[in-house]
Amino acid sequence: MPTARRLAHEFLHRRGLTTIFGNPGSNELPFLAELPEDFRYVLGLHEGAVVGMADGYAQVTGRPVLVNLHAAAGSGNAMGALTNAVYSRSPLVLTAGQQVRAAIGMEAMLANVDATQLTRPLVGWAGEPSCAADVPRSLAQAVFEAELHRRPSYLSVPYDDWAAELGPNAAVTLDREVRRGLSPSAAQLDDLAASVAAAKNPALVLGGDLDALGLFDRAVALAEHLGAATWVAPSPHRLPFPNRHPLFRGVLPAGIAPISAALTGHDLVLVLGAPVFRYHQHVPGAYLPDGTRLVQVTDDFGAATRAPMGEALVADPAPVLEALLAKVPARTSEDGYVANPEPRTGETALHPEQVFAALRDTQAGDTRYVVESTSTNAAWWRQLDLRREGSYFFPAAGGLGFGLPAAVGVAMGSPERPVVGVIGDGSANYGITALWTAAHYRVPVTFVILRNGVYGALRWFGELLGTPDVPGTEIPGLDFTAIAAGYGVEATTVTDEDHLRTQLKTTPDGPRLLQVDTEPTTP
Ligand SMILES: Cc1ncc(Cn2c(C)c(CCOP(=O)(O)OP(=O)(O)O)sc2=O)c(N)n1
């Protein structure tokens, strides 16, 4: 009779979950034994880096990804990275080893006490099978939950279950298929199309979900069809629209009053594939300008139910975009991409805009950027010219430690497109161990570290909050070339803009790190 381990491996193989991102403890070894030949285990040296890599890999492949963590200590280390994966809606299947069944209650070493409670505030589903015979079904549920809700799931399995021999019923799970189809009714589509057609000055607010769902080009088609002013929803973790497009009006500011001001004059605001809204700095005001109607279209039930204002249609955005393109009469649009402004220049070091202009001028048009530099967003959108789907990834919950690992995960999941990580010297420390994984697996990725010696975003927040003199915002003396060398990654300190451009024009066959001294700026 087959063991729980063999059935689990077979199920994972059939569902294509054959790449495992992990960091093992003794509890996990019985699951990892006898892995089939076509499985690939990617080792990360800290569970935060493991989940960050898996998040990047899942976002760029669009498929569920298996993560294997050590019990409570390992799962606890992963919580920060997990917050990002929840808000990027990455279908991660987190598995963790539990002590043997007889040792859990006595809390023997490595017992994961109340295992499903630790991650429950974040994941969409958490479980621990009631017996070894339920392991294959529980694993299938964890995979289907993550895939259908696009939200991480968590499964804890006592390690003596894996060797248990199971009866014929356990194998039936392997044949299961679970599919989704959330299309709105014809009446709902007609009603929405009529509202858009009747609007005098409609505006679009597009969310990262559209890029994650492969709708980048259809979003551009819809904006051009409607001739509508188009914003990207605040705090974007993906870019759903070309940022130099003539209809692009910018990334909405993450404050209540500023968003209301930006949308003034639009009688209909259509929010597609985004929460309403991911505010950040608290700037109170009216949620919407007078006379503006907001309609949100999302397949994220929670995003629809928790919004503070407007209407929501819970549906897959794809059929809604197609219906609007088919049913709403075309309007005139604007042509010609907008030119980039001259980059600002630094005095004592490079301005971030000079770094970003160098990236724009030297990197291929299909480059994927993984960005975690929290005070340079305005500079970034002023200088970059991103026109392809899947070009931009940012920590979706603002949890630092995403950038370096996710750049590795994106590069492993999408070897056909170049990948550049643009990481602040503060952020880099939270996921720094991913450098070892990049070196160990020879992952072709460029890390650009912006070394400004401060937590720049916190200084800006200090001014905003009237607390400018707080401690803990200076980080002088970091040398990422020495750190990178210690992890096996080739590294260079860039001395000036010409040196940076020369370096960027070379193509690495493995990981490399460029340390660039920059002047602090504001978001
Ligand atoms: C895990 C974690 N810890 C702390 C923070 C707080 N934090 C911190 C510490 C920031 C400073 C990042 O500094 P940086 O050098 O990476 O980038 P800038 O200098 O451009 O801000 S921004 C921010 O929200 C966080 N977001 N996530």
Side-chain angles (χ1 to χ4, degrees), residues 365-428:
D366 66 346
T367 299
R368 295 185 190 272
Y369 292 97
V370 181
V371 178
E372 191 171 72
S373 166
T374 44
S375 69
T376 60
N377 291 330
W380 176 266
W381 295 120
R382 271 173 54 90
Q383 291 306 323
L384 264 292
D385 180 354
L386 304 180
R387 304 189 187 193
R388 289 282 306 274
E389 54 78 31
S391 294
Y392 177 80
F393 303 84
F394 187 87
L400 301 183
F402 170 84
L404 273 175
V408 175
V410 167
M412 294 183 95
S414 167
E416 77 285 356
R417 288 175 59 175
V419 176
V420 175
V422 180
I423 322 284
D425 57 345
S427 301

Side-chain angles (χ1 to χ4, degrees), residues 80 280 372-376 397-401 423-428 430 450 452-458 461 475 521:
H280 187 166
E372 191 171 72
S373 166
T374 44
S375 69
T376 60
L400 301 183
I423 322 284
D425 57 345
S427 301
Y430 296 83
L450 305 179
N452 62 12
V454 293
Y455 283 158
L458 299 194
F461 256 104
I475 50 171
T521 182

Side-chain angles (χ1 to χ4, degrees), residues 51 88 142 516:
V51 172
S88 58
V516 189

Side-chain angles (χ1 to χ4, degrees), residues 466-511:
T467 58
D469 304 322
V470 295
T473 61
E474 302 198 356
I475 50 171
L478 287 165
D479 178 356
F480 288 92
T481 60
I483 294 169
Y487 280 112
V489 171
E490 174 199 326
T492 306
T493 293
V494 163
T495 51
D496 57 34
E497 186 172 343
D498 288 344
H499 185 205
L500 173 62
R501 286 175 178 262
T502 304
Q503 288 290 325
L504 288 173
K505 285 173 186 169
T506 62
T507 307
D509 62 357

Side-chain angles (χ1 to χ4, degrees), residues 438-449:
H440 184 69
Y441 297 98
R442 297 295 305 150
V443 181
V445 53
T446 294
F447 304 107
V448 177
I449 305 292

